[in-house]
């Protein structure tokens, strides 16, 4: 079942619908990096290129769960 969360990115309201399991991993990433939900989504948005936001979130969650921490190592403007 998809769960939708709303966020403002670059002054535009948007929402992202993901499965609860992906949100759980993303919440863990945010906690580990000391980012709010909005801060994490902003960072994902800045780095996703042309990838749809929901897809970028899923890909990050999968990479993180597999041990890839390169997202944390990249510089950020947060």
């Amino acid at each position: 079942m998809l769960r939708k969360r709303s966020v403002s990115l670059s002054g535009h309201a948007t929402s992202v619908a993901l499965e609860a399991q992906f949100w759980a991993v993303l919440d863990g990433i945010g906690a580990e990096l000391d980012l709010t939900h909005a801060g994490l989504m902003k960072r994902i948005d800045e780095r996703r290129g042309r990838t749809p936001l929901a897809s970028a979130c899923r890909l990050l969650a999968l990479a993180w769960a597999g041990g890839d921490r390169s997202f944390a190592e990249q510089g950020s403007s947060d």
Side-chain angles (χ1 to χ4, degrees):
M1 180 174 182
L2 295 177
R3 295 193 180 169
K4 192 178 280 191
R5 293 189 186 179
S6 298
V7 66
S8 178
L9 298 172
S10 302
H12 301 283
T14 190
S15 61
V16 180
L18 300 172
E19 295 77 8
Q21 295 87 342
F22 285 108
W23 285 124
V25 174
L26 292 172
D27 289 343
I29 295 169
E32 189 167 327
L33 300 180
D34 197 27
L35 293 170
T36 63
H37 170 70
L40 178 64
M41 297 304 289
K42 176 184 174 204
R43 189 180 289 189
I44 294 169
D45 184 51
E46 290 171 347
R47 298 174 183 189
R48 69 186 172 102
R50 299 191 68 180
T51 303
L53 183 58
S55 295
C57 289
R58 286 185 180 96
L59 290 171
L60 171 60
L62 287 171
W64 194 271
D68 180 353
R69 298 297 189 263
S70 60
F71 181 82
E73 297 164 4
Q74 297 171 352
S76 175
S77 61
D78 299 338

